[in-house]
Amino acid sequence: MQFDAIYTTYEKRIYGFLVRLSGRRDVADDLFQETWLRLARHAPTLSEDTDIAAWLFTVARNLYRSHVRWSIADRLRRRDVVEAVTSTTPEIDHAWRERWQKLETALGELPVAHREILLLVGVEAMEPQLAAQVLGISAAAARQRLSRARAALAYALGEEGTPWKI
């Protein structure tokens, strides 16, 4: 697959993942760009059977984790997340927008491990087994983490027992 085709296929998903994970557009912009530079650099060494989606999300996640480890200014600033996600969908009515805002706020307050699994499975529609590969954990651990993350999200929303389909 050509670089342009891969970029077109995954750019919005990778960028959305990084915005939600970091909560900051400026950080997401930098990590997004570095993700694609890594693909350009490593593409010749990837095997034919490489799952590009898993590879890209793994790179994006690892870049984010490195950013958190090395960034002194890493604070939980998430004021632009809701705008970044909802500003591109003006057809959503007011009630839905409020519910979406509530979900994004609750998601942003979860621990990173919970956010990662929810974003990969719920937003990116990855199977838990593929998400496990991206996260570097076993499939069983991914399923357990997903279950706990869903429960934590429901609790944060004050809606235990109400499925959010994420």
Side-chain angles (χ1 to χ4, degrees):
M1 190 181 251
Q2 296 284 348
F3 182 89
D4 291 342
I6 294 170
Y7 184 85
T8 301
T9 302
Y10 295 105
E11 68 175 312
K12 290 179 184 175
R13 291 176 61 193
I14 296 294
Y15 186 72
F17 176 70
L18 288 168
V19 167
R20 287 184 174 110
L21 193 58
S22 68
R24 295 179 49 193
R25 285 185 184 194
D26 59 331
V27 171
D29 289 342
D30 292 342
L31 299 176
F32 177 77
Q33 187 174 31
E34 183 60 30
T35 300
W36 294 106
L37 289 172
R38 297 270 173 104
L39 177 62
R41 193 175 310 129
H42 294 285
T45 64
L46 297 177
S47 66
E48 291 279 329
D49 63 341
T50 299
D51 184 321
I52 294 296
W55 192 90
L56 287 169
F57 279 100
T58 300
V59 169
R61 175 183 180 256
N62 289 342
L63 287 169
Y64 172 72
R65 292 180 69 147
S66 292
H67 166 76
V68 169
R69 258 191 311 270
W70 296 104
S71 175
I72 295 170
D74 182 52
R75 299 206 179 22
L76 298 175
R77 290 181 237 155
R78 307 201 183 283
R79 59 184 161 235
D80 294 335
V81 173
V82 174
E83 179 185 318
V85 174
T86 60
S87 65
T88 60
T89 57
E91 69 277 358
I92 297 175
D93 66 355
H94 182 69
W96 175 249
R97 199 177 291 271
E98 285 180 355
R99 187 168 166 93
W100 187 262
Q101 253 181 330
K102 185 177 179 182
L103 175 61
E104 287 291 340
T105 300
L107 188 62
E109 293 171 353
L110 292 176
V112 172
H114 286 168
R115 265 198 326 272
E116 290 174 339
I117 192 77
L118 289 172
L119 290 173
L120 291 172
V121 174
V123 177
E124 297 304 325
M126 282 188 184
E127 292 296 322
Q129 187 169 350
L130 184 58
Q133 184 181 346
V134 171
L135 299 172
I137 59 177
S138 70
R143 287 190 299 274
Q144 184 178 46
R145 187 179 293 181
L146 179 60
S147 176
R148 289 178 178 168
R150 285 176 172 156
L153 181 62
Y155 181 79
L157 293 166
E159 299 183 14
E160 300 92 329
T162 304
W164 274 79
K165 296 185 181 179
I166 191 163

